[in-house]
């Protein structure tokens, strides 16, 4: 019930393409869904986050799409750039309690 | 600029040794966390603390303990290191503003190898 399942484990996208990473959860009471980005040799850093009262949130080239009925949310990276190559983690939490992270996706953008 | 520092980037220890991982944050954050990161398993919470001298078990506390004597410092202790504790260890901190889900700021990690 507390798990967040993330896919794919790794993803290769051509420069300029759209990168899509998906996450699914079981606990319908989760109320906060952040995405963290981690570059090699660095700790993760918050990229973008959404609450379930909206279906989409966009910040620059990064968009979270949220489907409450399907219990799924996804990260879309438009016009993907080599500098976006990193590991991405989705997460979820309930009533401001601890975050539950997905398994991570290693994204590679080929130039 | 916010900063979370961890005492070592790389550490090699022998089975049975006592291991201390130190984390210091300079943001006056109330909450501090220890995670381990393993390929295919994501980040798993070991322990967290929401105040000085307070600690709470996370999802995988077995084999670990923690200490928080000062607000800025949170230590992770492996009482008797085992090979299955070989991993990347990440420390994070956050303010109390939005409970435990306020933005977490991570350190660069300590890669621990237990031989």
């Amino acid at each position: 019930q507390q798990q967040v399942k993330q896919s794919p484990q790794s993803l290769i996208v051509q420069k300029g393409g759209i990168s899509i990473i998906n996450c699914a959860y079981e606990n319908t009471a989760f109320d906060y869904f952040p995405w963290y980005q981690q570059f090699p040799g660095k700790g993760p850093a918050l990229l973008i986050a959404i609450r379930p009262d909206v279906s989409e949130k966009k910040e620059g080239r990064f968009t979270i799409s949220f489907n409450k009925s399907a219990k799924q949310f996804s990260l879309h990276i438009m016009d993907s750039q080599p500098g976006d190559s990193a590991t991405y983690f989705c997460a979820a939490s309930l009533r401001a309690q601890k975050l539950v992270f997905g398994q991570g996706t290693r994204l590679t953008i080929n130039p | 600029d916010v900063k979370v520092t961890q005492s070592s980037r790389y550490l090699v220890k022998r089975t049975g040794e006592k291991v201390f991982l130190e984390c210091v944050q300079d943001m006056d954050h109330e909450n501090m966390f220890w995670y381990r990161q393993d390929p295919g398993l994501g980040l798993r919470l070991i322990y967290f603390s929401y105040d000085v001298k307070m600690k709470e078990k996370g999802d995988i506390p077995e084999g670990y303990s923690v200490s928080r004597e000062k607000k800025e410092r949170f230590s992770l202790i492996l009482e008797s290191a085992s090979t299955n504790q070989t991993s990347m260890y990440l420390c994070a901190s956050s303010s109390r503003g939005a409970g435990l889900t306020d933005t977490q700021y991570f350190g660069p990690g300590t890669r621990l190898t237990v031989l």
Side-chain angles (χ1 to χ4, degrees):
Chain A
Q1 270 264 319
Q2 293 296 327
Q3 282 188 334
V4 177
K5 294 184 178 180
Q6 183 172 347
S7 63
Q9 195 166 356
S10 64
L11 180 63
I12 300 173
V13 175
Q14 293 299 118
K15 179 183 174 182
I18 302 173
S19 304
I20 302 174
I21 304 171
N22 300 299
C23 286
Y25 61 96
E26 291 293 324
N27 190 342
T28 55
F30 281 144
D31 57 6
Y32 176 69
F33 301 89
W35 285 87
Y36 279 77
Q37 178 189 53
Q38 182 182 31
F39 292 108
K42 305 285 187 182
L46 179 67
L47 180 63
I48 188 173
I50 196 169
R51 295 200 181 270
D53 51 345
V54 296
S55 60
E56 186 176 282
K57 182 172 182 179
K58 186 175 182 179
E59 290 185 2
R61 296 184 294 109
F62 299 89
T63 299
I64 299 179
S65 296
F66 186 80
N67 186 329
K68 194 172 183 178
S69 60
K71 294 184 286 185
Q72 294 176 349
F73 59 110
S74 59
L75 176 69
H76 295 237
I77 307 174
M78 310 300 288
D79 187 26
S80 299
Q81 298 297 312
D84 298 329
S85 296
T87 299
Y88 292 82
F89 294 96
C90 62
S93 74
L94 167 63
R95 290 194 297 272
Q97 297 305 306
K98 60 185 175 69
L99 290 171
V100 178
F101 283 89
Q103 294 77 14
T105 297
R106 177 174 286 185
L107 174 65
T108 302
I109 308 299
N110 282 336
Chain B
D1 197 18
V2 299
K3 199 158 187 183
V4 178
T5 57
Q6 296 184 229
S7 51
S8 306
R9 293 301 302 269
Y10 300 94
L11 209 53
V12 180
K13 295 292 182 181
R14 298 237 174 243
T15 301
E17 280 192 79
K18 191 169 186 176
V19 182
F20 292 87
L21 302 182
E22 304 284 336
C23 175
V24 178
Q25 50 95 2
D26 65 358
M27 297 164 282
D28 200 34
H29 282 167
E30 293 82 7
N31 304 321
M32 296 189 74
F33 308 81
W34 275 106
Y35 294 89
R36 64 178 281 176
Q37 180 178 0
D38 300 288
L41 297 177
L43 277 64
R44 293 181 292 166
L45 182 63
I46 304 171
Y47 267 95
F48 64 98
S49 168
Y50 51 87
D51 205 347
V52 176
K53 297 193 184 293
M54 305 301 289
K55 60 185 179 184
E56 293 281 345
K57 291 181 180 179
D59 300 314
I60 52 165
E62 297 79 16
Y64 304 94
S65 62
V66 290
S67 173
R68 193 166 180 201
E69 296 296 319
K70 294 185 177 182
K71 189 176 185 180
E72 68 272 16
R73 189 179 298 268
F74 193 35
S75 301
L76 180 69
I77 302 154
L78 287 66
E79 294 289 342
S80 177
S82 63
T83 54
N84 62 12
Q85 293 178 309
T86 291
S87 185
M88 171 69 81
Y89 290 87
L90 290 164
C91 175
S93 72
S94 68
S95 71
R96 192 176 289 159
L100 296 175
T101 55
D102 203 5
T103 302
Q104 293 190 19
Y105 296 89
F106 284 83
T110 295
R111 184 165 294 282
L112 172 67
T113 301
V114 182
L115 302 176

